[in-house]
Amino acid sequence: MDLGAPPPWADGRAAPPAFRPPHHRAPPETPSETTTRLRPVRARHPFRSAAAAVCVVLGLGLIGGAATGSWLISDSSADPAAHSTYTVGRAAWHSVPVDTLFPRTLKGTGAGPGGSDRVWTRLAVAPDSGCTTALDPLLVKTLRPAGCARLLRATYRDATSSSVTTVGLLFTEGDADAMRALSTRFTDQHLDGRADLMPRAYPVRNTPAAGFGDKQRASWTVHVLAEVPVVVFAVSGFADGRTVTTPQPADKAMAANATTAAAQAGLGHEAKGLADRVERGLRRTVTQLTEKPE
């Protein structure tokens, strides 16, 4: 063969396989660098891309909203302790409107002697206070095991302005065990019938209760609640400011054979009727506040 002559495939014909130029390949990957071959990705349709973006935005919004909602309610509905009757009840003195705790007008259907109806009108609400100055020292000492967080009082008059009654809510610091123990003690030792443990009245100037003081107290009731940390009490007297020498607890003054002045005037019914209705209102309010949202 003439080495100087052009090769036979110079005219465009394919070169024989044995004479094809060598193909230079990259060195094989090391095991640590080996990757999976990805399939080719098809071009996205513009509409599909926009829809995917919208879904991502909506998804992030829902996740963010759920997280925010969970954070906002983490201290309330998500926490059973936040809805306990003791937690809600103890805070009711400053979280519940005064007109809810002590309505301006209270109706006592069948609350009077012989099942007669009663209507009471609020004269004033005392500033919230501690127990030291608002209760007799011996009553403060008796209630001390449960503690005194706050005391609220209001004074009412009956429809004829012949009687006046102070009703109170003492919010304690005690837990369920302390309140049950105090309730049991009051019941077993009949402490609610002792005149030296009678609550004090709250006089209101320029009203029928202007002269309602310690010596005007005629009948009373004290009820220690075990379901919420509260002691409910009421004390009644004559609106004319007369002195009462023989005060009588409400349950005895309400007896059919009672002959004291307090009993004959229905002052036991006044104290018990008002205390019961204020207590019912408190229980109803606490129950509503402790119900978890659906």
Side-chain angles (χ1 to χ4, degrees):
M1 176 183 292
D2 186 0
L3 297 179
W9 56 85
D11 57 357
R13 289 176 297 170
F19 294 99
R20 291 188 178 183
H23 178 72
H24 296 285
R25 296 183 179 179
E29 296 177 333
T30 60
S32 61
E33 296 174 342
T34 302
T35 59
T36 302
R37 183 181 297 276
L38 299 177
R39 291 179 296 176
V41 179
R42 296 178 180 178
R44 289 185 177 272
H45 191 280
F47 176 77
R48 292 181 179 177
S49 299
V54 171
C55 290
V56 170
V57 172
L58 290 177
L60 292 175
L62 291 174
I63 294 173
T68 302
S70 176
W71 176 77
L72 288 174
I73 64 174
S74 61
D75 292 333
S76 55
S77 61
D79 184 4
H83 283 271
S84 72
T85 55
Y86 267 68
T87 301
V88 174
R90 183 171 290 112
W93 71 269
H94 64 80
S95 62
V96 177
V98 67
D99 286 347
T100 300
L101 296 175
F102 300 122
R104 294 179 181 274
T105 301
L106 278 170
K107 295 182 178 180
T109 304
S116 59
D117 297 337
R118 283 288 188 268
V119 177
W120 299 284
T121 301
R122 194 183 72 196
L123 297 176
V125 177
D128 61 275
S129 66
C131 294
T132 304
T133 59
L135 299 176
D136 284 344
L138 188 56
L139 181 55
V140 172
K141 181 179 179 180
T142 304
L143 298 173
R144 188 169 296 157
C148 176
R150 216 64 183 165
L151 178 63
L152 303 183
R153 296 180 297 166
T155 296
Y156 289 78
R157 65 167 176 82
D158 72 326
T160 63
S161 294
S162 60
S163 66
V164 288
T165 304
T166 294
V167 60
L169 295 171
L170 189 160
F171 295 84
T172 75
E173 300 170 340
D175 57 13
D177 290 338
M179 293 304 294
R180 281 194 292 266
L182 185 62
S183 177
T184 299
R185 184 185 176 195
F186 261 76
T187 301
D188 293 348
Q189 300 180 19
H190 305 287
L191 300 182
D192 54 346
R194 285 178 47 172
D196 56 352
L197 296 178
M198 185 167 35
R200 282 181 174 169
Y202 170 57
V204 183
R205 294 181 180 179
N206 303 318
T207 72
F212 190 25
D214 289 350
K215 295 182 179 180
Q216 285 70 40
R217 295 177 293 181
S219 189
W220 77 97
T221 180
V222 178
H223 187 200
V224 180
L225 308 185
E227 298 82 1
V228 291
V230 177
V231 178
V232 183
F233 65 84
V235 57
S236 61
F238 293 100
D240 59 9
R242 77 182 72 173
T243 299
V244 179
T245 57
T246 56
Q248 194 172 31
D251 58 344
K252 292 185 178 180
M254 293 171 63
N257 59 349
T259 59
T260 63
Q264 295 296 318
L267 295 183
H269 290 80
E270 299 292 310
K272 187 69 165 59
L274 262 170
D276 284 351
R277 278 145 188 83
V278 169
E279 178 183 326
R280 292 175 196 173
L282 174 68
R283 289 179 181 273
R284 182 169 56 250
T285 299
V286 171
T287 298
Q288 293 172 349
L289 292 175
T290 54
E291 289 179 348
K292 294 183 179 180
E294 295 293 337

